[in-house]
Amino acid sequence: MACVGLQSFPVDVEVDVADRGFPAFNIVGLPDKAVGEARERVRTALVNCGFAFPQKKITINLAPADIPKEGSAYDLPIAIGILVANEDIVLKEKGLFFGELSLDGSLRHTRGALLLALFAKKVEMIRIFVPVESANEAAIVEGLEVIPVRGLKNLVEHLRFVKRIPYLKTINIKKLIETAQPEFDMAEIVGQETAKRALMVAAAGGHNILMSGPPGAGKTMLSRALPGIMPTLSVEETMEITRIYSSAGLMQPGEAVIRRRPFRSPHHSISLAGLIGGGSRPVPGEVSLAHLGVLFLDEMAEFPRSVLEAMRQPMEDGKVEISRVAGRMVYPASFQLVAAVNPCPCGYLGHPKHECRCTTRDVERYKRRISGPILDRIDLHINVPAVEAEKIIGNAEKGESSLVIREKVMKAREKQLKRLTGTGIFCNREMKNKQVKEFCRLDSGGVRILRLSMEKFDLSTRAYFRVLKVARTIADLEGSDDIQSVHLAEALQYREKVF
Amino acid sequence: MTGNRGEDIATEYLWKKGYKIIERNFRTRFGEIDIVCRDGQTLVFVEVKTKIGHDFGEPEEMVNKSKIVKVKRMGEVYLQDKGLDVSCRVDVVAIVIENSWSVEKIEHYQAVY
């Protein structure tokens, strides 16, 4: 099986052992370096497992010939093919073979096991042989016989019916997700009630959020806790995330699925290709790795402008299209953006005790680094002030734990889902203007407040719709069917220009 | 001189091992195969490397990849020339002789590359 992006194609590994000419070992079918080096791995592994490596002219053909093959997963099928050609074993069962060999003949964790399993299911090839460390990934697919292979020797014994390897039971993903605890608990964060509230709103409506505050205020901590208060993953979502991680080779050995919503925080030195995805054979970037999770941009103003601007399309569409010579690839990239910034280069603008050392020009220039269109796509803007000493030292009351908040968030999401059925979208952030008009009706008090504030703060049309969306989410959180003036007032707070 | 002596030694050595010697110093415009012989069904092209003494390293170190490739290519020429299509391989015989022309060491490497 070959992968192009998240698509898979079957690859036949044909092995020919010819009894004339000089001994040779050639692989054809557009192998990349890793596939080509399978020669040495297979040869050594076979010899070290006690099999004779034929001194004959061996030709491996990876068909279809015109799709580039990459990765190390072809080691095992090649080795099996040689063993069969050498009449060491007789294949009596059908199956897909997959895995990287190490020199002693044992199998290594190989990326893409889940994609293989999904593919096997599609073509109704029930049995697959995968390295034991990658087998859990494949075992989440129902209706397959996933045979975890420790090494070449075990596999040969299995195929010779000497000692059969039992296949894995299908892993119940649901249980795995439900037992996953949030990595960071909101209750551990001191103070910052406003920010916590805003994060809850963000989680409930899927809104993007921008936090501005001095260094050390807890912006990073807060954002790390966000995945924990977002709704628990559904089985489909888990599969989608795991597919991306499996194809990118980011699964830990033995890991079955990604159980928590991803949290990605790329450093601001990231390149455009690193964020969006790229390469001559495109690999997923950070926006895709944060799919259905959180993309956290710390010090957002330090990111190169071009990189930030490139995020616009994925933020709108929930996917990225990467076009290269080798092909066009579409990766999902539906993430929630959390951006953290300092209010000025030194970080202390507006701090109650610390003096800001920046000139007005410095501040101006700093703020210009993030363009309007990007800021416009962020629904919630909040200030995260420094925490007062009393709260840190004293036994400040612990806030709500992530699990409690998550309950509320999930209730709000349920309301949204019910309302949005049939529209093809799933949360308030995604609402188009038409839906905003339909679902975000205001009472007379609300209309008055909104008119006043529009005049006073000079809100743009787009801002107007965003305020309404956020107000809708807040109303959902409160369990209210219509938007009341309190909800609207709170939403207007998150419009305050903080950066 | 040294080379010829070495090739004689190698031929005898291989013959004693049960190889059937077919030809010595098969030559074309492009190069040469020291010994062509047969090991069972397999045609063997042998490159002989001879040195006097151990100074400057062992003889086998003096046979590098390009030399082997050259012998292999010559082997292909040989096959064409004789119209053969059999399995074949390249061997290296490394010989160290002393000043007194006696053999000090003989090493046979099968199927190099």
Side-chain angles (χ1 to χ4, degrees), chain A residues 328-403:
Chain A
R328 262 181 73 251
M329 238 125 284
V330 178
Y331 284 113
S334 173
F335 57 89
Q336 209 170 326
L337 178 72
V338 178
V341 283
N342 291 141
C344 66
C346 84
Y348 291 105
L349 186 69
H351 194 279
K353 299 202 180 90
H354 219 289
E355 197 184 346
C356 173
R357 282 180 285 104
C358 310
T359 62
T360 331
R361 261 184 70 194
D362 286 343
V363 177
E364 277 301 307
R365 193 180 302 142
Y366 191 65
K367 297 208 164 169
R368 264 208 303 271
R369 298 186 64 133
I370 305 178
S371 73
I374 289 287
L375 284 179
D376 230 26
R377 282 170 172 77
I378 301 176
D379 294 339
L380 302 170
H381 295 217
I382 55 163
N383 252 319
V384 183
V387 184
E388 292 137 45
E390 272 167 54
K391 281 198 177 158
I392 307 171
I393 302 163
N395 297 343
E397 212 176 298
K398 266 202 166 182
E400 285 175 307
S401 79
S402 287
L403 291 176

Side-chain angles (χ1 to χ4, degrees), chain B residues 30-47:
Chain B
F30 312 106
E32 183 191 42
I33 305 173
D34 293 338
I35 304 169
V36 180
C37 56
R38 207 181 255 286
D39 173 17
Q41 286 300 308
T42 311
L43 201 59
V44 185
F45 304 103
V46 185
E47 166 67 17

Side-chain angles (χ1 to χ4, degrees), chain A residues 474-493:
Chain A
I474 297 168
D476 287 338
L477 263 176
E478 302 300 328
S480 161
D481 280 334
D482 35 46
I483 305 173
Q484 294 162 6
S485 13
V486 260
H487 305 145
L488 189 66
E490 190 185 339
L492 277 167
Q493 270 185 46

